[in-house]
Amino acid sequence: MTPHPLLAATLLCLAALPAARASTYPAKPITLVVGSSAGSTTDGLARAIAQEITADTKVPVIVDNKAGASGGIAAQAVARAAPDGYTLFITTNTTQAANPHLFKKLAYDAVKDFAPVGALVKGYLLLVTHPSVKAQNVGELAAAAKKQPMTFGAGSSSARVAAELFQQMTHTQLNYVPYKANPQAIIDLVGGQIDMMIVDLTTSLPQVKAGKLKALGVSSPQRSPLVPELPTIAEAGLPGYEISYWNAVYAPAGTPAPVVQRVHELMRKAMGAEGVRRFVEQNGMEPFVTGPADLASFQAAEFKRWGAVIKAAGIEPE
């Protein structure tokens, strides 16, 4: 049966809508939602990218910080946003791979509620202590933690699981102090309210350089070019220890594929810009730029990996 000419024309117009939207995108301001506070690595990366896309498209790109619930507040906001490419999520493995294993109930689905746009970077963490902690290396820290109880702070799943993995591998028992975001935890660590953290270089390295914190190791497989004199945690007394985090971009589920592709192109171009490249290098990260399909398969593998680490660390979902 031949469809009615009017119906056929309507269907053709509807099919062409997403492509037309993509060809005019962006036609209004874009919001990049970030699940951490100002001063965090993800916030800094989002702001560097926002600046480049604004310069490239002449359309304002705004960074909206929604800290709390380990990025869950931001994730929920993006999951409920209009799927038109104007609300995007720059996030980490915390919301997309770790939280589903850490919380019994989440206000979002890490897979079903999002359209992957592309991965951006991989990064590593620094093991830092308050200067009053007597340990000069990882082995001494483990020994000290066995003698007297120590506290660690974390405002992200990466920071929390990194410390839980440390406990598991050193057979120590540390007391966990939760924070809305890592920058607040670092302020308390500098103030001596907590003893240690394993946290991204963005929030910790400036305090180490200022002499306010002591660094004992980096979580990467090789030493960081930013602190070449500092050993890896593995070589400082904990063989086999390694943990990393990643940043990626997601749109709400249902965002048309041509729009997702256009966002991906803008993000890829921004990642190649001098300002963004400099931010990535200065914060001890490495570029890890993928397309939507590769991010989807990478996230699936990471979902399993973080689940295994969390289970092995004996963390019960809250």
Side-chain angles (χ1 to χ4, degrees), residues 217-233:
V218 64
S219 76
S220 47
Q222 283 91 32
R223 291 189 181 204
S224 168
L226 295 181
V227 270
E229 72 288 350
L230 190 69
T232 65
I233 295 172

Side-chain angles (χ1 to χ4, degrees), residues 132-147:
S132 65
V133 175
K134 296 285 188 280
Q136 298 306 313
N137 56 51
V138 173
E140 287 180 13
L141 181 65
K146 281 173 185 167
K147 282 179 189 161

Side-chain angles (χ1 to χ4, degrees), residues 7 35 37 46 51 55 105 115 135 149 155 178 183 192 236 250 271 292 305 307 310 318:
L7 176 64
S37 58
Q51 204 173 334
K105 269 190 175 175
Y250 291 83
M271 286 301 295
R305 186 176 81 93
I310 289 161
E318 289 169 12

Side-chain angles (χ1 to χ4, degrees), residues 46-85:
R47 287 178 193 280
I49 288 170
Q51 204 173 334
E52 291 303 330
I53 294 178
T54 299
D56 182 22
T57 63
K58 308 293 181 278
V59 169
V61 181
I62 302 136
V63 175
D64 182 9
N65 298 89
K66 290 187 185 295
S70 290
I73 293 167
Q76 186 182 0
V78 176
R80 291 178 177 178
D84 55 9

